[in-house]
Amino acid sequence: MKYPTFSISLAIWKLLTDSQGTNGQSTTRGSYVPVTNVHCPDVFTRRTLDQQFQLDPREREYIDGRRALLPEAWSQWLRDPSTLGYSAQDLKLVSGADVPSIALASSGGSFRSALFSAGALTAFDIRNDTAKAIGTGGLLQVSQYHSGLSGGSWIATSLAINDLPVPRDLVLGNVHQGGNLTGWLLDRDLLLPDGIRAIDFYEDIVDQVRSKANAGFDTGLTDIWSRALAYHLLPGTSEQNFFSDDESTHGAGVLYSDLQKIPRFTQKQMPFPLIVVNARPPLFEDAPPGTNLPLESTVYEVTPFEFGSYDPHLAAFVDVKYLGTELNELKPKSSDSCVTNFDQADFVAGSSSSLFFALLYDSRRKLNGIEAKAADFLFKALNNLLKGISTRADDVGVVPNVSKVSVNRILACRVENVYSHSVGLEWVNMKMPTLQVLS
């Protein structure tokens, strides 16, 4: 579908002239805004180098607890040896210590990869009768980790936040079958969900992002992109309320640390979700879009418990609930200087997929059906918009560094593909940084 230049021009013009409110101040509630001056817990950071690179105790407890449940899951998967040629009895999986470690990775590629991963996970889901009959259904239930990048992070985040529903119901919805999932609303474009009505869509989103900027946090296009993704990936949005200006219905305030409260997560009934980010070295700070990053770049990860890196250059983590807190030597400025509400689930997924904006900066090629001239206009209009909401690199998600001692320059990061818990990294389409860590 092609959107006329007129519709785009009118939407952006309206956005730039009307959305700032009085004196450029936000007029929207602050569900997307981090909370400052929070009392800090006694311990919310750790150095893995001092711990011989051990897992966070909470992650270790989750994995050990999940492994204890897996012999039964393996038994259900391999109950019929005629399907795959294996039986649970032959494998002699008596306890959690006997089960092999399996991790799933969802790669990048926007909705294409997200939908492909959803299809693959459906084929691995024992709740799918067809997959169960042919023998593939059950692999999802015996997996211990699920990592994702870019579009793969969309399915990983959406699946976990929604309590691991059947992937088909997650994507297509199940309201008509008596469920409560509205689906990903795939008939609505990510950037221009309804032609001229995109005016209202962007007014609400930019107002929310400006609220975050007015609270003293660096923002940019990634925040806008993240909020747009939330309308599709996170609970709350339906066809009926899609253009509602109540941000609470569109995933604002849904935190990545909220995964700790999701029923199947608390019961250890889902693979442990994680996202991995790759840092851009200081020498590449001013590199143009399309620059390949070196293999020695620091690797970060985001889990329901923490954000940080096992890389020896950093070897430090911060509790993801307090992500956004300025630290020095892994210590906050004061006992009441912590930040919460920064780890927005849409921001995590959006930061993993900001490669989208490289198309605007680099190629000016057709974008989601937008003609080249219209895309160029959109690019220029967004540049003007950024003057009000961006204070650093426009195209990256910005977070404070977890340790000024280990990394004392600004780093830019993007989510890349990982096999399992930072033990291997697969470089995919490394074009554009999408997460920036501040010193």
Side-chain angles (χ1 to χ4, degrees):
M1 178 178 181
K2 295 183 178 180
Y3 297 96
T5 303
F6 172 77
S7 295
I8 301 171
S9 302
L10 183 58
I12 298 298
W13 174 82
K14 184 76 161 56
L15 176 66
L16 292 172
T17 56
D18 290 353
S19 67
Q20 293 187 14
T22 305
N23 297 323
Q25 297 301 307
S26 171
T27 58
T28 310
R29 296 158 303 285
S31 297
Y32 186 69
V33 181
V35 178
T36 58
N37 301 321
V38 175
H39 182 73
C40 302
D42 292 336
V43 179
F44 66 100
T45 63
R46 69 186 183 101
R47 278 199 176 279
T48 58
L49 193 61
D50 301 334
Q51 303 170 355
Q52 297 182 333
F53 302 101
Q54 295 181 12
L55 295 181
D56 182 292
R58 296 167 297 177
E59 181 178 345
R60 170 54 61 195
E61 188 272 335
Y62 185 95
I63 294 301
D64 289 345
R66 178 155 176 76
R67 288 179 68 91
L69 303 175
L70 292 185
E72 176 60 25
W74 278 89
S75 178
Q76 293 180 11
W77 179 25
L78 303 179
R79 190 180 304 276
D80 182 3
S82 66
T83 55
L84 293 179
Y86 299 95
S87 71
Q89 290 182 341
D90 293 338
L91 295 179
K92 298 179 180 179
L93 304 179
V94 177
S95 68
D98 301 322
V99 300
S101 297
I102 293 180
L104 303 175
S106 295
S107 64
S110 190
F111 261 137
R112 178 177 55 188
S113 66
L115 292 172
F116 177 86
S117 291
L121 292 171
T122 299
F124 297 152
D125 195 336
I126 201 169
R127 296 169 293 183
N128 178 351
D129 291 337
T130 301
K132 183 178 179 180
I134 64 175
T136 58
L139 179 60
L140 175 61
Q141 279 69 31
V142 303
S143 298
Q144 296 176 37
Y145 284 93
H146 181 201
S147 69
L149 82 152
S150 194
S153 75
W154 301 358
I155 179 67
T157 299
S158 186
L159 197 66
I161 286 290
N162 284 281
D163 200 20
L164 196 66
V166 175
R168 176 184 174 85
D169 291 345
L170 175 71
V171 175
L172 300 180
N174 60 8
V175 174
H176 296 303
Q177 289 77 41
N180 60 358
L181 295 173
T182 58
W184 282 358
L185 307 178
L186 296 173
D187 58 328
R188 294 198 178 275
D189 190 89
L190 283 173
L191 287 178
L192 296 173
D194 193 13
I196 197 65
R197 294 195 70 184
I199 295 173
D200 299 329
F201 177 73
Y202 277 107
E203 278 185 335
D204 295 336
I205 285 179
V206 172
D207 214 18
Q208 296 160 26
V209 174
R210 189 171 281 113
S211 294
K212 179 180 176 180
N214 290 340
F217 293 90
D218 292 297
T219 57
L221 283 175
T222 295
D223 290 276
I224 297 176
W225 176 237
S226 300
R227 292 301 302 128
L229 285 175
Y231 282 59
H232 298 269
L233 304 179
L234 301 183
T237 304
S238 65
E239 286 287 354
Q240 291 71 35
N241 68 16
F242 195 93
F243 294 99
S244 166
D245 62 359
D246 182 359
E247 63 177 289
S248 64
T249 64
H250 304 302
V254 176
L255 308 178
Y256 205 73
S257 55
D258 285 343
L259 284 172
Q260 300 177 36
K261 308 172 186 176
I262 298 297
R264 281 197 172 92
F265 187 87
T266 62
Q267 299 162 12
K268 303 175 178 59
Q269 293 285 352
M270 68 169 66
F272 189 80
L274 64 87
I275 292 172
V276 175
V277 300
N278 178 63
R280 186 177 66 188
L283 292 178
F284 285 73
E285 288 176 14
D286 299 321
T291 301
N292 291 327
L293 303 183
L295 294 177
E296 62 270 19
S297 301
T298 301
V299 176
Y300 291 76
E301 64 179 64
V302 187
T303 80
F305 296 127
E306 58 182 1
F307 169 91
S309 176
Y310 287 97
D311 192 303
H313 294 295
L314 182 62
F317 282 84
V318 60
D319 191 317
V320 72
K321 180 179 179 180
Y322 300 98
L323 186 63
T325 302
E326 293 188 20
L327 302 172
N328 192 357
E329 294 276 6
L330 290 177
K331 301 292 184 182
K333 293 181 178 179
S334 69
S335 61
D336 294 312
S337 64
C338 275
V339 170
T340 59
N341 217 50
F342 188 95
D343 60 314
Q344 301 277 331
D346 56 353
F347 183 71
V348 173
S351 294
S352 77
S353 54
S354 287
L355 177 64
F356 156 80
F357 289 106
L359 297 178
L360 288 178
Y361 280 85
D362 189 23
S363 66
R364 310 291 201 278
R365 292 174 294 183
K366 292 182 180 180
L367 180 63
N368 283 347
I370 303 175
E371 292 289 353
K373 290 182 179 180
D376 188 63
F377 173 84
L378 182 61
F379 164 71
K380 293 177 181 178
L382 288 175
N383 266 346
N384 289 330
L385 173 64
L386 284 170
K387 295 177 181 178
I389 64 172
S390 178
T391 54
R392 290 183 182 264
D394 300 335
D395 53 349
V396 297
V398 183
V399 301
N401 189 6
V402 299
S403 172
K404 288 187 177 181
V405 173
S406 297
V407 183
N408 53 23
R409 296 286 302 276
I410 293 176
L411 301 178
C413 318
R414 66 154 301 170
V415 170
E416 296 298 337
N417 199 4
V418 66
Y419 299 115
S420 173
H421 205 80
S422 299
V423 298
L425 189 66
E426 180 180 6
W427 303 83
V428 179
N429 295 330
M430 186 172 295
K431 295 290 185 181
M432 194 73 172
T434 63
L435 183 66
Q436 184 160 326
V437 183
L438 305 183
S439 61

